[in-house]
């Protein structure tokens, strides 16, 4: 957290389209740049981060969103799209768990997806846990970072892989890995569900939701 610092990621986004019958992966470069620090309403120092997007060639960058990071003596919080997450907690010891979604409202993704399983995610088993601390981690492009910490937020699934297309299926998975002196270097998120076809055949089976992978490619 220092003005002028940035991390660039390869971002691969999987979405379902044509009424959930097909899927497509869209790839970008995303650059998260620390723009400034400020004192928030509670008197704590927070940092404003702007995310810029580009195609995979990085020819031109367009501001996409901003978020804030607020460190304290006990946690590091992130507020994005008015949603506040407790991303990290102290001490950073393997096995430590905390309720990272405790500040989220009911059904926080309702403006984007009508999930049946993801209401009240602030109290539905999302216990963030350090599953790896101070360990090497290799990102997608093959670069290894010597000291990293991985947070597993949730890892739930039902009927996956889908062996019975007449039954409901779902995946809820979210993990993030942070490297010392850099920050986030890898994130993988899956939040989707499969609704089976109706018994009378008037509605085919379909998926709704998304997958997202972010992997660091550059930083200063």
């Amino acid at each position: 957290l220092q003005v002028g610092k940035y991390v660039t990621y390869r971002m691969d986004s999987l979405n379902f389209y044509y009424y959930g019958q097909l899927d497509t992966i869209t790839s970008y470069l995303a650059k998260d740049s620390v723009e400034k620090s400020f004192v928030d309403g509670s008197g704590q120092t927070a940092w404003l981060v702007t995310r810029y997007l580009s195609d995979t060639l990085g020819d031109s960058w367009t501001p996409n969103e901003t978020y804030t990071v607020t460190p304290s003596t006990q946690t590091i919080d992130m507020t994005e799209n008015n949603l506040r997450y407790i991303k990290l907690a102290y001490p950073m010891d393997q096995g430590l768990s905390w309720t990272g979604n405790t500040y989220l409202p009911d059904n926080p993704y309702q403006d984007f997806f009508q999930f049946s399983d993801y209401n009240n995610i602030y109290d539905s088993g999302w216990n963030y846990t350090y599953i790896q601390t101070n360990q090497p981690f290799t990102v997608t492009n093959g670069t290894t970072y010597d000291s990293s910490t991985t947070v597993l937020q949730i890892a739930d699934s039902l009927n996956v892989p889908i062996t019975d297309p007449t039954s409901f299926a779902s995946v809820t998975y979210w993990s993030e890995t942070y490297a010392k002196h850099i920050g986030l270097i890898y994130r993988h998120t899956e939040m989707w569900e499969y609704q089976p076809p109706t018994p009378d055949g008037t509605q085919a089976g379909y998926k709704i939701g998304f997958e997202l992978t972010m992997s660091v490619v550059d930083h200063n």
Side-chain angles (χ1 to χ4, degrees):
L1 293 174
Q2 181 180 336
V3 173
K5 288 290 186 180
Y6 68 84
V7 183
T8 304
Y9 305 93
R10 165 70 179 244
M11 187 162 65
D12 297 313
S13 175
L14 171 66
N15 290 283
F16 306 105
Y17 68 106
Y18 192 67
Y19 307 101
Q21 305 297 308
L22 301 173
D23 58 64
T24 185
I25 294 178
T26 306
S27 297
Y28 309 87
L29 291 180
K31 180 185 290 185
D32 287 8
S33 175
V34 182
E35 306 283 305
K36 68 176 182 178
S37 64
F38 62 96
V39 177
D40 66 13
S42 64
Q44 293 181 297
T45 299
W47 302 81
L48 179 70
V49 181
T50 299
R51 173 167 294 164
Y52 299 87
L53 294 183
S54 174
D55 61 21
T56 53
L57 298 178
D59 291 333
S60 62
W61 296 91
T62 303
N64 176 254
E65 66 172 328
T66 60
Y67 62 89
T68 60
V69 180
T70 308
S72 70
T73 57
Q74 294 181 313
T75 64
I76 297 179
D77 295 1
M78 173 183 172
T79 302
E80 182 180 26
N81 295 322
N82 294 317
L83 301 175
R84 179 181 174 188
Y85 307 84
I86 305 173
K87 289 292 188 176
L88 298 168
Y90 299 110
M92 291 184 179
D93 295 333
Q94 186 154 332
L96 179 73
S97 293
W98 67 97
T99 51
N101 293 345
T102 190
Y103 295 112
L104 294 186
D106 294 352
N107 200 1
Y109 299 114
Q110 62 183 343
D111 291 338
F112 306 100
F113 302 102
Q114 293 299 317
F115 293 123
S116 64
D117 270 8
Y118 306 139
N119 296 326
N120 304 325
I121 68 174
Y122 62 87
D123 64 355
S124 60
W126 286 62
N127 291 316
Y128 292 27
T129 303
Y130 292 127
I131 60 170
Q132 174 181 287
T133 58
N134 299 318
Q135 297 294 320
F137 187 88
T138 302
V139 296
T140 304
N141 67 4
T143 302
T144 298
Y145 295 86
D146 292 336
S147 180
S148 71
T149 295
T150 297
V151 181
L152 180 63
Q153 298 184 10
I154 192 168
D156 285 346
S157 64
L158 177 67
N159 190 29
V160 175
I162 302 175
T163 57
D164 180 7
T166 64
S167 298
F168 175 85
S170 67
V171 173
T172 312
Y173 180 91
W174 196 315
S175 70
E176 296 180 344
T177 299
Y178 298 82
K180 183 180 289 187
H181 305 309
I182 300 173
L184 180 72
I185 59 170
Y186 186 82
R187 168 186 165 188
H188 183 68
T189 303
E190 292 186 46
M191 295 181 67
W192 58 264
E193 64 184 32
Y194 167 78
Q195 293 288 350
T198 55
D200 60 7
T202 57
Q203 172 66 59
Y206 65 93
K207 289 181 178 179
I208 184 171
F210 66 95
E211 295 183 22
L212 179 68
T213 301
M214 297 174 63
S215 187
V216 62
V217 295
D218 184 35
H219 64 88
N220 65 353

